[in-house]
Amino acid sequence: MKVAIVGIGLHPFGRTPGVSGRAQGAHAARAALADAGVEWSDVQFAFGGSHSAGDADSLVSDLGLTGAPFINVANGCGTGGSALIAARSAILSGEHDLGLVVGFDKHPPGAFNTDPAALGLGDWYGTTGLMLTTQFFAMKIQRYMHLHGITDDTLAAVAAKAFRNGALNPDAWRREPHSAQTIAASKMISHPLTQYMFCSPGEGAVALVVTRADHAHRYTETPIVIEAAEFRSRRFGSFEVFSPWLSPETAAGPTVEAARAAFDAAGVAPTDIDLAQIQDTESGAEIMHMAETGLCKDGEQEGLIRAGATEIGGMLPINTDGGCLANGEPIGASGLRQVYENVLQLRGDAGPRQVPGRPRAAFTHVYGAPGISACTVLTR
Amino acid sequence: MPDPTATLRLVDESLFVAGYEPLTLRGAECGRCGTTTFPSQDGCPRCGAQEMTDAALPRTGVLWSFTVQGFEPKPPYRGREPFTPYGVGYVDLGPVIVEARLTENDPARLHVGDTMELTLVPAFDDADGPVSTFAFAPAGDPA
């Protein structure tokens, strides 16, 4: 048995003053239900999550008190992926046939600030100015550029593509294109990454209706099959955010294992993928994650990006909706946004940003603290 | 010349080997698998053994990666006024790669592979004056 996505809904990303994160979640859930042509009362179960906008299960107050089990998921940036994995498993187990997955968030402006004690670190790590995710991303790409010959121009090119794609996406936050020159010249946040190379915490919501693939045609003519959805945490020796020390004995990060597991489970090779949404919390992350997911080899990004391979019309379109850079990062919703975009693209409904050639297989990847990754492979 | 260590106040004494001169970072080494951590911790994150003993870490190493913090962080950061961008890096000391403040904040003067030496920098001021934390300086820089 397989599981299919038969309904998708989204609340536009960005800043929506006066609309709570929960309300955005309810909006997305209703849109997904309408897309599948079902009522909330038809839904047998739900998994959902939000990092800082309230408990997802409280959405029953808005959607209707039907008695259905609604389970909260809290996995940082992996929240949406984990909710989808759990919902898929609930259907694969035979326990349920029709479910809802929802993720939403609403973060205040500015970088995330994290309490060191929550991660088992001493107060000194925060007071002396080391407790910043931005530093981790900068140091990871700095070393990667040194080892694999990636240039500053390529960092700017990735962000320029994100804003170009965002301009084609009516639901994106950042819809104004910026030239690579403007991006490179914007304020230096954490060398070598400038302001326009980083995504910002934001707002938004996404919901999906999932069912048994053999029931999918009851709800839609274009079901999208979840061929694989895999989650991994880090192993000893991988380089992760908020690390006061690293081992000289290095290991691949969780992205490598989650991606490989997803491709293996799907029986699909990275070369079979027609488009991908991969975590681009900053432009260096997109570059490194291209190789960590197996979509290319270390160092090939420089040539691929320069040749336009990752553009919507290229041979491997990446972050076709503008990614985190153009959509911001509402933690609970961000991973599901990637799945939403791939469903739209596989249905052929992505409008001006539609990947040409009727794509058949699409990949998603999220990465987050404290060293987790979730990946999916979808096909039509 | 006044003794600078007479009034030295450290952000967290447990990060340093007590009584060592010159100042030395205190890590922990696993008695079973040899893994070295910083700061010191009770259990080994590699093999799970609880056989960690204090280790005095080397005072020089090689710059593994670096960045420069360009904006003033939110709390819990406690900086000195006015905010000045500061270098941050990982320094490979051999048994362990340690994250630290750098004395240099010009990225053009930092390179992966540079030799670095342990020193101290003032991290913030409290009612009694400056509080210092460990940092690494490019080798040969005047202290």
Side-chain angles (χ1 to χ4, degrees):
Chain A
M1 184 167 65
K2 290 183 178 180
V3 175
I5 298 169
V6 295
I8 58 175
L10 179 145
H11 184 281
F13 280 44
R15 295 254 172 247
T16 313
V19 181
S20 70
R22 280 187 72 264
Q24 295 181 39
H27 174 100
R30 291 191 182 105
L33 295 170
D35 186 48
V38 297
E39 301 289 332
W40 170 241
S41 54
D42 299 325
V43 171
Q44 296 166 317
F45 72 100
F47 284 90
S50 158
H51 185 73
S52 50
D55 295 337
D57 67 335
S58 71
L59 289 182
V60 294
S61 310
D62 301 74
L63 299 175
L65 301 171
T66 63
F70 195 131
I71 297 173
N72 288 326
V73 179
N75 240 155
C77 301
T79 295
S82 294
L84 182 61
I85 288 168
R88 177 172 178 258
S89 296
I91 292 170
L92 289 176
S93 74
E95 190 177 358
H96 295 297
D97 295 336
L98 186 71
L100 181 81
V101 179
V102 62
F104 56 90
D105 245 315
K106 187 177 180 95
H107 305 296
F112 292 111
N113 58 336
T114 309
D115 176 13
L119 295 172
L121 297 168
D123 287 346
W124 64 273
Y125 195 74
T127 56
T128 64
L130 301 181
M131 194 86 197
L132 288 101
T133 56
T134 41
Q135 291 174 3
F136 162 74
F137 291 121
M139 288 192 280
K140 190 176 175 193
I141 188 63
Q142 186 93 264
R143 184 165 175 83
Y144 193 87
M145 291 166 79
H146 172 78
L147 293 176
H148 299 293
I150 306 297
T151 63
D152 287 324
D153 287 350
T154 299
L155 293 179
V158 167
K161 169 181 66 72
F163 296 124
R164 236 180 351 263
N165 292 353
L168 300 174
N169 176 3
D171 296 316
W173 182 8
R174 315 278 189 201
R175 303 201 55 219
E176 185 187 341
H178 295 290
S179 71
Q181 290 78 6
T182 301
I183 291 161
S186 65
K187 179 177 160 55
M188 188 61 80
I189 296 292
S190 197
H191 182 86
L193 299 169
T194 67
Q195 184 175 0
Y196 286 3
M197 296 179 189
F198 277 103
C199 84
S200 305
E203 305 173 21
V206 179
L208 310 169
V209 176
V210 291
T211 188
R212 300 164 54 118
D214 58 348
H215 290 184
H217 282 281
R218 299 178 187 176
Y219 307 104
T220 178
E221 292 175 359
T222 52
I224 303 301
V225 175
I226 306 169
E227 298 287 354
E230 296 287 338
F231 183 106
R232 291 292 185 275
S233 63
R234 71 191 190 278
R235 290 183 191 270
F236 181 78
S238 71
F239 180 26
E240 307 297 344
V241 65
F242 302 142
S243 299
W245 65 282
L246 309 173
S247 169
E249 173 189 325
T250 55
T255 290
V256 173
E257 291 192 51
R260 189 176 298 150
F263 286 123
D264 286 350
V268 165
T271 49
D272 297 329
I273 293 295
D274 298 314
L275 74 149
Q277 317 298 328
I278 63 182
Q279 185 94 350
D280 60 332
T281 37
E282 40 79 27
S283 54
E286 177 169 320
I287 293 168
M288 294 183 285
H289 290 148
M290 284 171 66
E292 290 183 26
T293 54
L295 295 171
C296 73
K297 293 190 172 63
D298 286 321
E300 288 181 348
Q301 302 96 323
E302 185 80 8
L304 287 170
I305 291 165
R306 194 167 292 171
T310 60
E311 302 283 340
I312 285 171
M315 68 179 223
L316 179 60
I318 290 179
N319 293 334
T320 48
D321 65 352
C324 293
L325 288 170
N327 286 281
E329 193 188 18
I331 288 180
S334 199
L336 294 178
R337 171 185 54 74
Q338 300 177 329
V339 175
Y340 177 97
E341 171 68 5
N342 279 353
V343 171
L344 267 191
Q345 292 280 354
L346 293 173
R347 286 178 175 179
D349 288 344
R353 66 181 191 278
Q354 177 65 46
V355 168
R358 305 207 63 226
R360 294 198 59 85
F363 178 79
T364 69
H365 157 264
V366 293
Y367 167 82
I372 57 167
S373 179
C375 296
T376 72
V377 175
L378 305 185
T379 64
R380 67 168 170 86
Chain B
M1 189 174 161
D3 175 6
T5 61
T7 55
L8 184 63
R9 294 157 67 241
L10 299 169
V11 66
D12 187 334
E13 298 273 353
S14 73
L15 299 173
F16 304 89
V17 182
Y20 252 53
E21 183 60 39
L23 209 68
T24 299
L25 294 176
R26 170 177 167 261
E29 183 176 348
C30 176
R32 187 190 294 175
C33 77
T35 292
T36 301
T37 72
F38 174 78
S40 155
Q41 59 182 65
D42 294 336
C44 175
R46 182 171 177 273
C47 75
Q50 287 189 286
E51 299 171 22
M52 306 296 283
T53 52
D54 279 4
L57 301 184
R59 301 185 71 259
T60 61
V62 171
L63 192 60
W64 188 86
S65 192
F66 64 92
T67 186
V68 175
Q69 176 62 36
F71 64 91
E72 183 169 9
K74 292 181 190 175
Y77 172 72
R78 294 175 68 183
R80 307 183 92 193
E81 296 297 335
F83 174 76
T84 308
Y86 55 89
V88 175
Y90 280 93
V91 179
D92 187 347
L93 301 178
V96 62
I97 301 168
V98 167
E99 186 181 21
R101 293 276 294 263
L102 304 178
T103 57
E104 180 58 65
N105 72 355
D106 178 358
R109 299 189 59 200
L110 293 166
H111 316 88
V112 173
D114 286 352
T115 301
M116 308 296 285
E117 292 176 339
L118 184 67
T119 186
L120 289 170
V121 290
F124 55 86
D125 297 302
D126 66 13
D128 299 320
V131 175
S132 294
T133 190
F134 63 97
F136 282 86
D141 263 18

